[in-house]
């Protein structure tokens, strides 16, 4: 291996270097038994972030318009509480929030397919902490999904 290949593998990351060495990682969701693409496949990060932005914007709008009289720290705190309640109630009952529905996503349990209210509560608490949602595994699931044993899929 010459210097250019060594530097190129370093710049492209460990996954690309391992793939060039012949390691087969498979596709996202393969270990979970999900299809590679289409309905039922693991949701991509862009859709997930878009749904999260819509849900947060909706909660911020509700907090700003109905609870506080101006934008400040109290508005953000109320928005977080509304976000928490919205996620626990909607994910725990129908499996998606308004933002997830808009982007064609659904949260399902690993084994049964339907998310119990307890799993929705665990997932939402960890999601509101933000750090677990930023740590992803090979299948593209956040730590909040792994601990709650859920996965976000395309509808």
């Amino acid at each position: 291996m010459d210097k250019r290949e060594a530097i190129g593998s370093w710049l492209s990351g460990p996954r690309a270097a391992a793939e060039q060495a012949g390691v087969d990682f498979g596709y996202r969701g393969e270990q979970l038994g999900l299809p590679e693409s289409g309905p039922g496949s693991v949701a991509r990060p862009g859709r997930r972030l878009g749904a999260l932005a819509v849900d947060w914007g909706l909660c911020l709008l509700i907090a700003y318009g109905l609870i506080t009289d101006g934008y400040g720290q109290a508005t953000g705190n109320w928005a977080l509480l509304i976000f928490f309640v919205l996620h626990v109630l909607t994910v725990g009952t129908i499996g998606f929030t308004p933002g997830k529905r808009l982007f064609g996503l659904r949260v399902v349990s690993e084994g049964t397919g339907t998310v119990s209210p307890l799993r929705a509560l665990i997932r939402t608490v960890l999601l509101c902490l933000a750090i677990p949602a930023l740590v992803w595994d090979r299948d593209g699931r956040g730590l909040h999904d792994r601990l709650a044993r859920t996965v976000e899929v395309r509808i």
Side-chain angles (χ1 to χ4, degrees), residues 49-65:
L49 290 174
L52 184 66
V54 167
D55 289 336
W56 180 253
L58 180 66
C59 294
L60 198 59
L61 186 64
I62 291 169
Y64 179 77

Side-chain angles (χ1 to χ4, degrees), residues 6-123:
I7 291 173
S9 68
W10 177 76
L11 290 174
S12 59
R15 182 180 179 118
E19 286 176 345
Q20 285 180 353
V23 176
D24 182 27
F25 287 108
Y27 60 87
R28 292 178 181 213
E30 183 175 18
Q31 294 176 336
L32 301 170
L34 300 174
E36 185 173 1
S37 61
S41 63
V42 174
R44 298 287 180 201
R47 284 182 180 223
R48 295 177 72 162
L49 290 174
L52 184 66
V54 167
D55 289 336
W56 180 253
L58 180 66
C59 294
L60 198 59
L61 186 64
I62 291 169
Y64 179 77
L66 298 178
I67 299 172
T68 62
D69 56 353
Y71 185 76
Q73 181 65 36
T75 306
N77 293 338
W78 279 107
L80 184 61
L81 179 65
I82 294 167
F83 182 84
F84 177 80
V85 171
L86 174 78
H87 271 71
V88 169
L89 292 178
T90 57
V91 171
T93 56
I94 57 177
F96 51 83
T97 62
K100 289 182 190 339
R101 182 66 181 141
L102 184 67
F103 280 84
L105 304 176
R106 183 180 189 93
V107 179
V108 295
S109 178
E110 282 181 7
T112 61
T114 58
V115 180
S116 69
L118 179 63
R119 286 187 188 199
L121 178 69
I122 293 168
R123 184 182 189 278

